């Protein structure tokens, strides 16, 4: 009885090996669309009724503070503006001067939000641990206290997307005129939970 059981146990691996012969390998089989999941988002901070509000923005570069601030400098989308979101960040507009304004200055009868500005360069961020040094494009600024908070919260939140940390993220900002400010993300509101 023991010999029959041993023979059966030895035969099973042999049969499995023979059964797998002549099975062609297929490689990658194209079948449908690529898998998709959650699209990468980064929080961008706008202002509503004097308060910072985190808004999720889709980005190709999650975790890139410079890219997140670039999204911020574009200003709120028409849909966000319809929800009374604005920006405290000001800059020069790239529109012709009106008869009531000096050449190179924004028209006196028009808003000066950065969404109208054509930047002369892009925001850049240097990251060292949880410390960011951010340079804004020429023509940006001067930054008010609220505008500075918008930039700091946006840059720090983008950094946290790919580098979560319990420590505060500090951001040193230089606006387009060379003015410096700094702060941390302590007190920045979180994205609303759906």
């Amino acid at each position: 009885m023991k010999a029959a059981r041993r023979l059966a146990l030895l035969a099973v691996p042999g049969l499995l090996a023979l059964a797998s012969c002549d099975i062609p390998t297929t490689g990658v089989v194209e079948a449908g669309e690529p898998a998709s999941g959650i699209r990468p988002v980064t929080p961008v901070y706008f202002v509503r009724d004097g308060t910072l509000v985190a808004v999720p923005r889709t980005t190709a570069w999650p975790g890139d503070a410079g890219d997140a601030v670039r999204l911020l400098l574009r200003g709120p989308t028409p849909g966000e503006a319809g929800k009374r979101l604005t920006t405290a960040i000001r800059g020069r507009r790239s529109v012709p001067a009106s008869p009531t304004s000096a050449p190179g200055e924004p028209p006196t009868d028009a808003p000066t939000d950065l969404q109208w500005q054509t930047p002369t360069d892009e925001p850049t961020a240097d990251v060292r641990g949880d410390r960011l040094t951010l340079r804004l494009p020429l023509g940006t600024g001067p930054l008010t206290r609220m505008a500075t908070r918008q930039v700091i919260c946006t840059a720090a939140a983008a950094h946290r997307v790919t580098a979560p940390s319990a420590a505060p993220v500090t951001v040193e900002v230089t606006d387009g005129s060379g003015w410096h400010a700094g702060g941390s993300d302590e007190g920045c509101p979180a994205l609303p939970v759906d």
Side-chain angles (χ1 to χ4, degrees):
M1 183 82 171
K2 286 186 175 184
R5 194 179 328 177
R6 266 192 225 151
L7 183 61
L9 289 175
L10 291 173
V12 170
L15 290 172
L16 289 175
L18 287 174
S20 66
C21 292
D22 295 329
I23 297 176
T25 58
T26 58
V28 176
V29 176
E30 297 291 330
E33 295 294 317
S36 64
I38 299 172
R39 296 178 68 187
V41 296
T42 190
V44 176
Y45 287 81
F46 292 113
V47 180
R48 182 181 325 155
D49 301 326
T51 304
L52 283 182
V53 176
V55 177
R57 282 285 182 91
T58 303
T59 179
W61 309 104
D64 185 322
D67 185 61
V69 172
R70 182 182 53 79
L71 294 172
L72 172 66
L73 294 179
R74 287 183 177 171
T77 65
E80 292 163 349
K83 296 177 183 175
R84 299 186 345 259
L85 291 171
T86 63
T87 183
I89 301 171
R90 305 285 181 182
R92 291 193 320 198
R93 291 178 19 157
S94 60
V95 295
S98 71
T100 60
S101 64
E105 293 295 321
T108 55
D109 58 346
T112 59
D113 287 7
L114 271 179
Q115 62 198 30
W116 296 100
Q117 176 193 3
T118 302
T120 55
D121 61 358
E122 295 289 327
T124 59
D126 179 44
V127 180
R128 293 196 175 132
D130 284 337
R131 184 170 183 79
L132 287 81
T133 304
L134 187 67
R135 174 112 181 129
L136 299 180
L138 297 174
T140 307
L143 297 179
T144 63
R145 179 173 286 151
M146 181 61 79
T148 302
R149 288 302 295 160
Q150 280 185 264
V151 172
I152 289 171
C153 289
T154 297
H159 175 70
R160 285 192 184 277
V161 168
T162 56
S165 171
V169 174
T170 59
V171 181
E172 180 73 29
V173 180
T174 303
D175 74 9
S177 67
W179 177 83
H180 299 282
S184 75
D185 64 345
E186 292 177 309
C188 293
L191 278 172
V193 179
D194 291 333

